[in-house]
Amino acid sequence: MRAALRSAAMQLKNTLARQVIQFIILIQPIVFATLSYFILRHRPGVDMASYIVIGSGLISLWSAALFSSAGDLDRERRMGNFEYLLVTPTPFETIILGKIVGNTLLGFGSMAMSYLYATLVLRADFAVRAPMLFVLGFVGTLVSFLGISLVLASAFTLSRSARLIVNGMEYPIYLVSGVMFPLTLLPQWAQVIGHLVPLTWARATLQAAAAGLPASFWPAFWGLLGTGALYYLVGRVMFDGVLRRLRVRGDAGVY
Amino acid sequence: MGALLRVSWLSFWALFGWADPAVYVSSLIVGPAFQIVFFTLAGRFSHSGHGPLFYVIGNAVEIAALGGVFALGLILIAERRNGTLGLSLIAPRSRLFLFAGRGIVYLLNSVVTVALGLGVGAWIFGLPLSGANLGALAVAIAAVALSTAAFGLLFAGIGLLLTDVNMVMNLAISVMLVLCGINFSINALPSPVRAISLMLPLTRGAMAARLAAGGAPWAAIWPLVGGEVLIGAVYFALGYVLFTHLEATALRKGTLDLV
């Protein structure tokens, strides 16, 4: 636990110094909040503020998870640290979990940025009607993102092209998670895929809390935790397999 | 010219040739195609009055801009990471030849990406492209690719002073995504911001591409394409001067190889 917390603290310091992460946390929420505002402002009867703040914040949270999961491992490999991390007394998975916690906490900065920009600049009327549920939704989102980030980190551990692959993983997830329009616009099969993505449940959870709708909040919250737990289990199994494979092939440091 | 094309091809191959085909498909086909679908569905939900053609063409042209802006940036990142940036800058060939020339295959590739994205968008949303002025559409896309590559030259110069060129490129492409009328009309922007958008590459190119896709005649499209090319020429001149100046600054400050 201590090692994971130390890893998270170190990750926060290192990542904050990276300009691409500064971009994701500070600029990307502004970009997507502006796009959401100008695209959705004609739509009658839609809670635009909720889409602007929650949608654009979650978009940046997902980008932060993707790019830092891929970039961290890529950087460790390039700098020759990767093999050392694999053989330190602290399990590699603990170090990675710490990094993921750090990244996700940073990602929440994007949500704060979305809120500030939407309310101060775009004058969006965003109110949280159930603050306690909103905080609970945040915690659930953090927990759920640990699971999916573990899966991503395991997959990226094997790939030397992770940085490039993630470029194609942003919009497909935005599309099926309903961050800018309801899922009902998608075909049934795409909606099913959407429900396998924690971002979908995080969006539904936070929107329900903001609207003060406990009846909608709880199913979404359990869905959020459920998908998070599922991905965590998959990530654990994947990690064991990936580490075994790296040791057998002996190419952990090949860049 | 032969040497220029050879340099360009080798540079492109060095970046993507060794990689898994999945990398190429993921970054240059899947991502852009999904961007088109995402914003078109958002537009459909918004009831903005723009049809799918507006979003599909706008985002397809923005993908060409992505290729243009990132062409030089990706080369700079790779050179810097491999420790060869300094060597490139002291090569007997001119920097213009080395860096701008390398972007040619990236630009051609971005045209292929746009065509695929357009195909996907047209297929999913049933766009009636049979009446489109396809020649003018291709010219508009090529003009955007060139003008945004010139814009990229400007940002690549700034990237020489920073440790993270990616951030600068992402900033450039984000500014264009918001200000160039890709997903909403620039008329919705406040006047001062609209004036800025008219000074950026891509704005006129996107307008020209939409007209061409709607079947407008060449006479209506040429002024916009001409404006796009002119803006590209201005950015090219600015970018070249700045790149040369910042290269000297980066050498003096010792930031050339910072990663």
PDB file of all heavy atoms in Angstrom, chain B residues 32-33 36 56 60 63 112-122:
ATOM      1  N   PRO B  32      -9.459   8.707 -37.182  1.00  0.00           N
ATOM      2  CA  PRO B  32     -10.131   9.728 -38.005  1.00  0.00           C
ATOM      3  C   PRO B  32     -11.558   9.358 -38.397  1.00  0.00           C
ATOM      4  O   PRO B  32     -12.458  10.201 -38.370  1.00  0.00           O
ATOM      5  CB  PRO B  32      -9.231   9.814 -39.240  1.00  0.00           C
ATOM      6  CG  PRO B  32      -7.889   9.395 -38.767  1.00  0.00           C
ATOM      7  CD  PRO B  32      -8.142   8.349 -37.736  1.00  0.00           C
ATOM      8  N   ALA B  33     -11.782   8.079 -38.759  1.00  0.00           N
ATOM      9  CA  ALA B  33     -13.134   7.680 -39.180  1.00  0.00           C
ATOM     10  C   ALA B  33     -14.117   7.847 -38.025  1.00  0.00           C
ATOM     11  O   ALA B  33     -15.232   8.346 -38.198  1.00  0.00           O
ATOM     12  CB  ALA B  33     -13.120   6.234 -39.672  1.00  0.00           C
ATOM     13  N   ILE B  36     -15.131  11.449 -37.429  1.00  0.00           N
ATOM     14  CA  ILE B  36     -16.194  11.896 -38.347  1.00  0.00           C
ATOM     15  C   ILE B  36     -17.563  11.439 -37.841  1.00  0.00           C
ATOM     16  O   ILE B  36     -18.514  12.222 -37.764  1.00  0.00           O
ATOM     17  CB  ILE B  36     -15.926  11.354 -39.770  1.00  0.00           C
ATOM     18  CG1 ILE B  36     -14.695  12.054 -40.363  1.00  0.00           C
ATOM     19  CG2 ILE B  36     -17.143  11.533 -40.670  1.00  0.00           C
ATOM     20  CD1 ILE B  36     -14.251  11.499 -41.700  1.00  0.00           C
ATOM     21  N   VAL B  56     -19.532  15.688 -41.890  1.00  0.00           N
ATOM     22  CA  VAL B  56     -18.645  14.690 -42.512  1.00  0.00           C
ATOM     23  C   VAL B  56     -17.530  15.393 -43.284  1.00  0.00           C
ATOM     24  O   VAL B  56     -16.338  15.093 -43.111  1.00  0.00           O
ATOM     25  CB  VAL B  56     -19.445  13.744 -43.454  1.00  0.00           C
ATOM     26  CG1 VAL B  56     -18.492  12.871 -44.265  1.00  0.00           C
ATOM     27  CG2 VAL B  56     -20.386  12.865 -42.649  1.00  0.00           C
ATOM     28  N   ALA B  60     -13.625  15.564 -42.204  1.00  0.00           N
ATOM     29  CA  ALA B  60     -12.698  14.922 -43.150  1.00  0.00           C
ATOM     30  C   ALA B  60     -11.584  15.894 -43.522  1.00  0.00           C
ATOM     31  O   ALA B  60     -10.405  15.529 -43.572  1.00  0.00           O
ATOM     32  CB  ALA B  60     -13.454  14.462 -44.390  1.00  0.00           C
ATOM     33  N   ILE B  63      -9.105  16.290 -40.866  1.00  0.00           N
ATOM     34  CA  ILE B  63      -8.142  15.183 -40.809  1.00  0.00           C
ATOM     35  C   ILE B  63      -6.958  15.471 -41.730  1.00  0.00           C
ATOM     36  O   ILE B  63      -5.806  15.163 -41.415  1.00  0.00           O
ATOM     37  CB  ILE B  63      -8.839  13.855 -41.183  1.00  0.00           C
ATOM     38  CG1 ILE B  63      -9.812  13.484 -40.070  1.00  0.00           C
ATOM     39  CG2 ILE B  63      -7.834  12.745 -41.406  1.00  0.00           C
ATOM     40  CD1 ILE B  63     -10.827  12.452 -40.483  1.00  0.00           C
ATOM     41  N   VAL B 112      -5.035  10.136 -48.501  1.00  0.00           N
ATOM     42  CA  VAL B 112      -5.617   8.783 -48.486  1.00  0.00           C
ATOM     43  C   VAL B 112      -6.526   8.625 -47.268  1.00  0.00           C
ATOM     44  O   VAL B 112      -7.650   8.106 -47.360  1.00  0.00           O
ATOM     45  CB  VAL B 112      -4.483   7.714 -48.442  1.00  0.00           C
ATOM     46  CG1 VAL B 112      -5.049   6.316 -48.234  1.00  0.00           C
ATOM     47  CG2 VAL B 112      -3.656   7.770 -49.716  1.00  0.00           C
ATOM     48  N   THR B 113      -6.053   9.117 -46.111  1.00  0.00           N
ATOM     49  CA  THR B 113      -6.845   9.018 -44.880  1.00  0.00           C
ATOM     50  C   THR B 113      -8.169   9.759 -45.021  1.00  0.00           C
ATOM     51  O   THR B 113      -9.218   9.269 -44.605  1.00  0.00           O
ATOM     52  CB  THR B 113      -6.051   9.625 -43.697  1.00  0.00           C
ATOM     53  OG1 THR B 113      -4.759   9.052 -43.702  1.00  0.00           O
ATOM     54  CG2 THR B 113      -6.712   9.347 -42.389  1.00  0.00           C
ATOM     55  N   VAL B 114      -8.097  10.944 -45.619  1.00  0.00           N
ATOM     56  CA  VAL B 114      -9.316  11.738 -45.809  1.00  0.00           C
ATOM     57  C   VAL B 114     -10.288  10.986 -46.723  1.00  0.00           C
ATOM     58  O   VAL B 114     -11.491  10.914 -46.442  1.00  0.00           O
ATOM     59  CB  VAL B 114      -8.969  13.109 -46.438  1.00  0.00           C
ATOM     60  CG1 VAL B 114     -10.235  13.846 -46.830  1.00  0.00           C
ATOM     61  CG2 VAL B 114      -8.178  13.940 -45.470  1.00  0.00           C
ATOM     62  N   ALA B 115      -9.753  10.407 -47.797  1.00  0.00           N
ATOM     63  CA  ALA B 115     -10.623   9.681 -48.741  1.00  0.00           C
ATOM     64  C   ALA B 115     -11.321   8.532 -48.023  1.00  0.00           C
ATOM     65  O   ALA B 115     -12.529   8.309 -48.196  1.00  0.00           O
ATOM     66  CB  ALA B 115      -9.793   9.176 -49.915  1.00  0.00           C
ATOM     67  N   LEU B 116     -10.557   7.807 -47.186  1.00  0.00           N
ATOM     68  CA  LEU B 116     -11.160   6.688 -46.445  1.00  0.00           C
ATOM     69  C   LEU B 116     -12.214   7.203 -45.471  1.00  0.00           C
ATOM     70  O   LEU B 116     -13.310   6.644 -45.368  1.00  0.00           O
ATOM     71  CB  LEU B 116     -10.075   5.935 -45.666  1.00  0.00           C
ATOM     72  CG  LEU B 116      -9.183   5.019 -46.504  1.00  0.00           C
ATOM     73  CD1 LEU B 116      -7.990   4.542 -45.683  1.00  0.00           C
ATOM     74  CD2 LEU B 116      -9.979   3.817 -46.998  1.00  0.00           C
ATOM     75  N   GLY B 117     -11.878   8.291 -44.753  1.00  0.00           N
ATOM     76  CA  GLY B 117     -12.822   8.872 -43.798  1.00  0.00           C
ATOM     77  C   GLY B 117     -14.094   9.336 -44.487  1.00  0.00           C
ATOM     78  O   GLY B 117     -15.198   9.103 -43.999  1.00  0.00           O
ATOM     79  N   LEU B 118     -13.904   9.974 -45.635  1.00  0.00           N
ATOM     80  CA  LEU B 118     -15.074  10.445 -46.406  1.00  0.00           C
ATOM     81  C   LEU B 118     -15.936   9.268 -46.839  1.00  0.00           C
ATOM     82  O   LEU B 118     -17.169   9.316 -46.772  1.00  0.00           O
ATOM     83  CB  LEU B 118     -14.595  11.182 -47.655  1.00  0.00           C
ATOM     84  CG  LEU B 118     -14.493  12.689 -47.585  1.00  0.00           C
ATOM     85  CD1 LEU B 118     -13.976  13.240 -48.895  1.00  0.00           C
ATOM     86  CD2 LEU B 118     -15.866  13.289 -47.277  1.00  0.00           C
ATOM     87  N   GLY B 119     -15.254   8.211 -47.289  1.00  0.00           N
ATOM     88  CA  GLY B 119     -15.980   7.010 -47.731  1.00  0.00           C
ATOM     89  C   GLY B 119     -16.811   6.433 -46.597  1.00  0.00           C
ATOM     90  O   GLY B 119     -17.994   6.125 -46.763  1.00  0.00           O
ATOM     91  N   VAL B 120     -16.173   6.329 -45.417  1.00  0.00           N
ATOM     92  CA  VAL B 120     -16.880   5.769 -44.250  1.00  0.00           C
ATOM     93  C   VAL B 120     -18.070   6.662 -43.891  1.00  0.00           C
ATOM     94  O   VAL B 120     -19.197   6.188 -43.688  1.00  0.00           O
ATOM     95  CB  VAL B 120     -15.910   5.651 -43.038  1.00  0.00           C
ATOM     96  CG1 VAL B 120     -16.669   5.334 -41.761  1.00  0.00           C
ATOM     97  CG2 VAL B 120     -14.872   4.581 -43.304  1.00  0.00           C
ATOM     98  N   GLY B 121     -17.814   7.985 -43.831  1.00  0.00           N
ATOM     99  CA  GLY B 121     -18.878   8.925 -43.479  1.00  0.00           C
ATOM    100  C   GLY B 121     -20.024   8.884 -44.476  1.00  0.00           C
ATOM    101  O   GLY B 121     -21.200   8.859 -44.094  1.00  0.00           O
ATOM    102  N   ALA B 122     -19.669   8.860 -45.760  1.00  0.00           N
ATOM    103  CA  ALA B 122     -20.702   8.853 -46.803  1.00  0.00           C
ATOM    104  C   ALA B 122     -21.525   7.574 -46.739  1.00  0.00           C
ATOM    105  O   ALA B 122     -22.748   7.585 -46.910  1.00  0.00           O
ATOM    106  CB  ALA B 122     -20.046   8.999 -48.169  1.00  0.00           C
TER     107      ALA B 122
END
